[in-house]
Amino acid sequence: LSNNSRKIGNLSIFKSFLKYAAIIIFCFGLIGYYAYWKVNQVEWIEFASNCDKSEDIVLPDGSIVSLNKESKLIYKKQFHADKREVLLQGEAFFQVKKNPEKPFFISVNSVIVKVLGTSFNINATDLSGNVLVSVKTGKVMFYEKEDAKNTLYLTAGESGIFLSQNQIIRKAETQDQNYLAWKTGILLFKNNTLTEVCEVLDNYYNTRIVINDSDLNSKRLTALYQNKTLT
């Protein structure tokens, strides 16, 4: 009877040991999982420019993004080892730091812009979903998310446009020289008609200018303005 009681007592102690050991192992496992999750957690940063002015953002790799007013950029606090990714809403000028081993991807509306190191402007302010890419230096790959075959390559001085309604990407007409006026503050006109001038001013000052005298439409202007008010 004594031996049986001793065996039952030992068995009870052993079961208690297993229970607490299981709890300890579970706790350590939970701590380990949390530590792994924290290390591998992807932290996204969202930057929105205000409605009054453009702002510059320095990304983790040293690339610089000039964000136009009322635009938004979303990016990771730390880029992956093999690629760099950002999301754009609105308009921005990118100066991407060259790194052939880590391509740079911009996701905007229904398209992707891929580069290795270059400078270019992306305008996705059109409410219809159109996206205009204008390359200042280097080379850009411009393609649709759902159809990688729908791809366009652009080099310095070239522009491409994604037409949302038709789901096509094509070369755009020669970009107006004032496409970066929102960033530089410089408006340049070279023998432009007043109709063309008003279109540029409408976009730059976010206003609407109407020419009441139709005879003025054909008049031309050659001028340079830098950081001028609308008045």
Side-chain angles (χ1 to χ4, degrees):
L1 184 62
S2 174
N3 289 336
N4 288 338
S5 297
R6 190 179 297 112
K7 289 180 179 178
I8 292 173
N10 290 339
L11 182 59
S12 177
I13 294 173
F14 181 69
K15 286 182 177 179
S16 296
F17 171 77
L18 288 180
K19 181 176 72 174
Y20 288 114
I23 293 173
I24 292 172
I25 292 172
F26 174 78
C27 290
F28 273 109
L30 195 62
I31 293 171
Y33 174 77
Y34 178 75
Y36 174 82
W37 178 80
K38 286 294 289 182
V39 170
N40 292 276
Q41 182 185 22
V42 176
E43 183 177 350
W44 289 85
I45 296 175
E46 182 176 305
F47 191 99
S49 59
N50 61 40
C51 60
D52 297 324
K53 62 178 181 178
S54 61
E55 299 187 58
D56 288 347
I57 307 166
V58 180
L59 298 180
D61 67 331
S63 297
I64 300 174
V65 181
S66 298
L67 200 61
N68 200 354
K69 56 187 179 181
E70 299 182 346
S71 298
K72 182 185 296 183
L73 186 74
I74 303 173
Y75 60 97
K76 295 177 182 178
K77 187 175 182 180
Q78 294 296 331
F79 290 131
H80 287 306
D82 59 341
K83 62 181 177 179
R84 299 167 284 175
E85 297 176 289
V86 302
L87 288 76
L88 172 66
Q89 296 176 13
E91 183 172 19
F93 180 74
F94 290 81
Q95 299 174 75
V96 177
K97 190 172 183 179
K98 190 170 184 179
N99 187 346
E101 304 301 321
K102 188 184 289 189
F104 195 102
F105 296 87
I106 303 103
S107 177
V108 50
N109 293 354
S110 300
V111 294
I112 299 288
V113 177
K114 177 184 176 182
V115 298
L116 297 178
T118 182
S119 61
F120 53 95
N121 192 74
I122 299 179
N123 187 341
T125 57
D126 193 327
L127 296 179
S128 65
N130 294 346
V131 179
L132 177 66
V133 178
S134 304
V135 182
K136 186 175 182 181
T137 62
K139 186 177 182 180
V140 165
M141 181 180 178
F142 185 25
Y143 62 94
E144 189 182 357
K145 290 179 182 178
E146 302 299 326
D147 183 9
K149 293 181 180 179
N150 191 9
T151 301
L152 184 67
Y153 290 93
L154 302 169
T155 56
E158 293 184 328
S159 298
I161 188 168
F162 169 72
L163 299 173
S164 178
Q165 184 175 0
N166 302 321
Q167 296 292 296
I168 61 173
I169 296 177
R170 62 173 175 78
K171 289 280 182 74
E173 295 181 3
T174 302
Q175 177 65 56
D176 179 82
Q177 64 261 24
N178 292 301
Y179 76 99
L180 276 181
W182 66 267
K183 171 177 165 54
T184 63
I186 298 174
L187 291 169
L188 175 63
F189 300 105
K190 294 181 178 179
N191 199 35
N192 294 95
T193 65
L194 287 190
T195 300
E196 294 171 335
V197 171
C198 286
E199 289 177 357
V200 172
L201 297 180
D202 285 347
N203 182 60
Y204 183 73
Y205 291 105
N206 192 27
T207 188
R208 176 66 176 151
I209 299 173
V210 178
I211 301 177
N212 290 323
D213 187 349
S214 59
D215 291 338
L216 293 176
N217 288 328
S218 59
K219 299 297 182 181
R220 294 183 175 272
L221 175 70
T222 297
L224 172 68
Y225 304 102
Q226 186 167 359
N227 297 318
K228 298 294 185 181
T229 65
L230 179 58
T231 303

